[in-house]
Amino acid sequence: MNQAIPMQKRRIAPWGWPLVALRLLSMLALLVVSVPLYYLAAPFAKRNPVPRRFLQAIGAVAGLRVRTRGQRPARRTFFLSNHVTWLDILAIAGETGSAFVAHDGLAQIGPLRWLCRLNDTVFVARHDRSSVANQIDQIRTALADTGALTIFPEGTCSDGTATLPFKSSLLSALADDDNSEVVPVQPIWLDYGRETRAIAWVGEEPGLDNALVILARWRAVDLTMHFLPPLPPKDRADRKRMALAAREAIETAAGRMRRADS
């Protein structure tokens, strides 16, 4: 999902289409190989390792190059991250093995829903306040089952130049709960540097158009993933404080980097 801001359609140069085709064929080949491996590994692993490697490989095929900075996460961690583009999911999953909380709109697309389910995605209806309690239960169950879970609290993609306000309702799964005492809550800042505006999925741009623009790039997409310190107990007293503290941590890290580059 993206911000409802008008945006001029970006065009792909003729020499970009052969690269798009090559990358799509490579992704299809990865899928054909990975699906049987997933079902072969399923009986032997509580957390199937195939989706993580598959998403990491898809990112590499798309031209994504990831560097990590900061404190490496514990195996069981709840991540709160800014959101710029669909590449975010490939990067976080590839580096951490995390599952995700996603908007239920994705569940309406059959093949995409199936792929997301293979990575234990939790689908939530953000605008259905009557089902928030049930969604919180789903998140708690998913966190217990998968070990690592990521939510994009902005609820949409930003252009990367600023962090949108964090929505806090689903963070009740951790606040004021016994689970919150043992599972770290760790902010992640995804920094695409000078390429942010070129790859960000914002405005009214359809997701497919954004994907094609990125796949047509001959230049790699460099991403620095900053694992910021986990939130201290004082910032986990309630969901609103948790959301505010995570957003402030990401904005502070981004501001520090901008000052260093200026």
Side-chain angles (χ1 to χ4, degrees):
M1 183 185 297
N2 50 12
Q3 291 174 283
I5 314 171
M7 180 176 182
Q8 185 175 0
K9 182 178 177 62
R10 293 185 281 186
R11 298 187 180 278
I12 297 175
W15 52 85
W17 288 107
L19 184 57
V20 171
L22 178 61
R23 283 175 163 162
L24 289 176
L25 288 173
S26 299
M27 291 177 179
L28 180 59
L30 282 170
L31 180 62
V32 169
V33 171
S34 298
V35 170
L37 291 176
Y38 173 88
Y39 288 108
L40 286 172
F44 307 103
K46 181 179 180 181
R47 177 61 173 155
N48 199 310
V50 174
R52 176 179 184 175
R53 299 309 175 195
F54 169 73
L55 293 172
Q56 190 174 48
I58 290 293
V61 169
L64 182 63
R65 297 191 303 197
V66 182
R67 296 178 298 175
T68 60
R69 298 286 185 272
Q71 181 175 333
R72 294 296 298 179
R75 184 176 178 276
R76 297 189 69 231
T77 303
F78 193 95
F79 298 109
L80 303 178
S81 175
N82 64 312
H83 197 15
V84 180
T85 182
W86 54 277
L87 294 175
D88 303 346
I89 296 170
L90 307 180
I92 294 174
E95 292 297 323
T96 69
S98 175
F100 295 85
V101 178
H103 191 276
D104 62 350
L106 294 177
Q108 308 306 314
I109 307 172
L112 188 56
R113 176 188 178 90
W114 171 68
L115 284 172
C116 290
R117 286 296 190 193
L118 294 183
N119 195 47
D120 299 320
T121 299
V122 179
F123 293 106
V124 299
R126 295 183 185 274
H127 302 295
D128 184 3
R129 294 186 178 276
S130 64
S131 64
V132 168
N134 180 55
Q135 293 170 13
I136 289 172
D137 287 340
Q138 291 181 55
I139 290 173
R140 287 175 176 165
T141 300
L143 187 57
D145 290 344
T146 64
L149 191 63
T150 300
I151 188 170
F152 298 110
E154 291 168 291
T156 185
C157 296
S158 72
D159 64 5
T161 60
T163 307
L164 301 175
F166 278 12
K167 303 180 189 308
S168 65
S169 59
L170 297 179
L171 301 185
S172 297
L174 292 178
D176 299 323
D177 183 76
D178 291 340
N179 199 36
S180 66
E181 298 178 4
V182 295
V183 180
V185 178
Q186 187 168 12
I188 295 177
W189 173 41
L190 301 176
D191 177 23
Y192 289 92
R194 295 179 180 178
E195 295 298 315
T196 299
R197 289 186 178 275
I199 57 93
W201 177 21
V202 294
E204 298 176 353
E205 182 179 40
L208 178 60
D209 288 1
N210 179 264
L212 292 175
V213 166
I214 291 175
L215 294 179
R217 289 171 52 97
W218 287 89
R219 187 167 60 247
V221 178
D222 290 315
L223 166 64
T224 303
M225 184 184 303
H226 298 264
F227 290 102
L228 305 179
L231 299 183
K234 67 180 180 65
D235 289 329
R236 300 182 54 169
D238 59 71
R239 59 184 177 85
K240 291 186 178 180
R241 188 180 304 181
M242 193 184 304
L244 181 62
R247 181 171 183 253
E248 287 180 345
I250 291 171
E251 286 193 318
T252 298
R256 189 181 301 121
M257 183 65 68
R258 294 187 189 105
R259 288 192 295 272
D261 290 341
S262 62

